[in-house]
Every structure is written in structure tokens, then in C-alpha cells.
Amino acid sequence: MSRRRVSPRELEQLRDDVTERDRAVLETAYAFRLVSGRQLRRLYFPGGETEARACRRVLARLYRWGALRRLDRRVGGLRAGSDGFVYTIGSVGERLLSAERPRRRLTEPSSAFVAHTLDVTEFYVTLVEAIEVTDHGDVIDYQTEPACWRDFSGIGGRQVLRPDLYVSIGLGELEHRWFIEVDRGTEHLPAIMRKSTTYDRYYRLGIEQTKHGNFPRVLWATTSERRADAMLRTLDASSLTRGLFRVVTLEHAVDALVGERP
């Protein structure tokens, strides 16, 4: 990753130069921790080659400023070009957004961390694209880690529920709230059950319902139909609250949220 130091005077000049779209790019890089060039292009530069060139220019400029940083590894190898760069927020980007935010500094992360984090980002990007296609809904709110975590006290003391993502979606006149769990098939089923049990325990306490009016459903998005079936059988055989969980493949996860699949 590159590093960049700027003086207070330079920072003020950069503040004057930052566009609304620049800020949106930085907000996404900060919120999701890692985002690929392709994902940023799909979010903020949809369209043909003209927009693709604009995306490359903007990302190169933010990188040159030190507002964005690039990982040493790429997604898709060299053939992916600039779309394959993986970005995180840079120190200048943090200062441009707000001096009061918690720092998001990353050393070069592991391959597993990169893959999982980009999967969560991809879920959000695909959701935004799907909502735009339906033309009758919107993403009302979303929270990434750790903003989406929930602290609570119960039997055994203080516990922390750690979803990968929280989303609130408006479809027609209804609002649908979801906790999202992206499973890459690397966890044993007992670990999936332990986390699901934590969700169920939090649900039964009624804390979320008191604060927000209802409890989000939990979507497990996993790698294959076989894995999804195994997770679903395990959940169905448990004493956990029925209807609280939904298990689908990553391929169909966003469809499950926007109602395109039964």
C-alpha cells in the first residue's frame, strides 16, 4: 500500500477539490474497508467506456492524493486492469471525510480476509444494482462492521452479535430489515449454529424490537446449494425460532431480498 503525507494547507486545498462523487467513493471505501475498482465503477460510474475512463481518472487522482490506498494484490490478476485494484481508505481520505471517525488503517490483510470482505461489498453493490432495476424500491439504510454489531447482556454475561452487514430496504410501501451473514463455506456447521444461537438469544430478549419496532430477519448467503441445504437442515432440526433465518446461495441472495425468488 502507498502512503502519502499532506500538510494542513494542502489538505484544505484538497477539500476544495473534492467532488460529491469523490466523497461517495471515499465513504464506500471507509465503510466497507475493501472495495475493488470494478465495484466502485458499477456503483458510481455506470455506463459505457466514457464512464469507465472517468472512473479510472478519479480513482487514480484519489490514489495519488493518498485519499485511497491500494492493496499489493489484485482481484482477477493483471488482465483485470484497473478494475482489479483493491482499495481501502487512506489517511488523507479519513481526514477529508472527518477527523472524528475511528481509524480504518489496514496492514496488508490475509487472502481470506480480502475474499470475505469483498464478498460483503459485492453483496451491497449487487443489491444497489438490483434495486435500481426493480424501479420500485430503495436502500433506506445500511450499516457495516462494527456499526451493525449489537452488544447485549444475557445469561453468561455480555455478548456481542457481529453481523457482516445490516440493510434496510424499501419495497413499495414496506420496509424490510435484514442482518446479512456471508458464508464462504470455510466454517464448520457447529460454528454456524453458535452464531445463529446468538441471533436467537438476542431476538428473544426483545432489545432490537423495543428500539426499532421489529427484529431484522437473518440471511445466510453461502457458496452452494449443497451447503445451503446442510445449513438449513441443521437450523430446522434445532430449537431456534422458526422464520428468523433464511439460507440461500450467494448467487440468489439479493433476489431473496428484493423478492424476485420465492
Side-chain angles (χ1 to χ4, degrees), residues 39 144-145 151 155 160 171 175 179 188 203 209-210 222:
Q39 289 167 339
T144 59
E145 297 183 273
D151 289 26
I155 298 174
V160 182
L171 294 173
E175 179 182 355
F179 287 126
H188 294 299
Y203 167 78
Q209 297 91 314
T210 299
T222 190

Side-chain angles (χ1 to χ4, degrees), residues 103-120:
R103 295 295 176 88
R104 284 286 210 185
R105 303 298 170 77
L106 286 174
T107 56
E108 190 71 19
S110 68
S111 297
F113 180 89
V114 171
H116 181 263
T117 305
L118 288 178
D119 276 350
V120 175

Side-chain angles (χ1 to χ4, degrees), residues 35-41 49 51-60 63 68 70-71 73-87:
V35 57
S36 72
R38 180 173 182 270
Q39 289 167 339
L40 289 169
R41 177 169 57 82
E49 183 55 33
E51 281 288 273
R53 287 196 297 270
C55 179
R56 290 192 289 270
R57 287 196 302 270
V58 168
L59 297 185
Y63 173 72
L68 289 176
R70 292 174 185 161
L71 298 193
R73 64 171 64 85
R74 295 191 186 197
V75 177
L78 292 176
R79 287 189 176 183
S82 59
D83 275 1
F85 285 124
V86 179
Y87 294 93

Side-chain angles (χ1 to χ4, degrees), residues 49-191:
E49 183 55 33
T50 299
E51 281 288 273
R53 287 196 297 270
C55 179
R56 290 192 289 270
R57 287 196 302 270
V58 168
L59 297 185
R61 172 167 49 80
L62 293 175
Y63 173 72
R64 189 168 61 250
W65 288 355
L68 289 176
R69 298 166 71 189
R70 292 174 185 161
L71 298 193
D72 292 339
R73 64 171 64 85
R74 295 191 186 197
V75 177
L78 292 176
R79 287 189 176 183
S82 59
D83 275 1
F85 285 124
V86 179
Y87 294 93
T88 186
I89 194 71
S91 59
V92 174
E94 287 180 327
R95 293 165 69 187
L96 288 172
L97 291 177
S98 172
E100 299 177 358
R101 299 187 184 209
R103 295 295 176 88
R104 284 286 210 185
R105 303 298 170 77
L106 286 174
T107 56
E108 190 71 19
S110 68
S111 297
F113 180 89
V114 171
H116 181 263
T117 305
L118 288 178
D119 276 350
V120 175
T121 308
E122 180 64 20
F123 183 98
Y124 173 75
V125 174
T126 306
L127 175 61
V128 171
E129 291 174 327
I131 289 289
E132 289 177 352
V133 168
T134 63
D135 198 33
H136 68 277
D138 63 321
V139 179
I140 297 172
D141 188 24
Y142 73 91
Q143 296 173 350
T144 59
E145 297 183 273
C148 63
W149 294 357
R150 303 293 194 263
D151 289 26
F152 65 98
S153 297
I155 298 174
R158 177 179 173 274
Q159 298 182 58
V160 182
L161 181 65
R162 294 181 170 89
D164 290 326
L165 181 67
Y166 162 84
V167 292
S168 171
I169 306 167
L171 294 173
E173 297 181 355
L174 300 178
E175 179 182 355
H176 302 264
R177 299 174 183 175
W178 293 86
F179 287 126
I180 308 300
E181 291 287 346
V182 175
D183 168 58
R184 306 199 78 248
T186 56
E187 296 281 359
H188 294 299
L189 288 180

Side-chain angles (χ1 to χ4, degrees), residues 22 26 60 128 174 181 192 209 215 226 230 240-241 244 255:
D22 291 343
L26 296 178
V128 171
L174 300 178
E181 291 287 346
I192 301 295
Q209 297 91 314
F215 194 91
R226 181 177 180 181
L240 302 184
T241 303
L244 182 59
D255 289 349

Side-chain angles (χ1 to χ4, degrees), residues 28-49:
T28 299
Y30 177 86
F32 287 92
R33 295 180 292 182
L34 295 176
V35 57
S36 72
R38 180 173 182 270
Q39 289 167 339
L40 289 169
R41 177 169 57 82
R42 288 159 58 199
L43 278 174
Y44 302 116
F45 303 85
E49 183 55 33

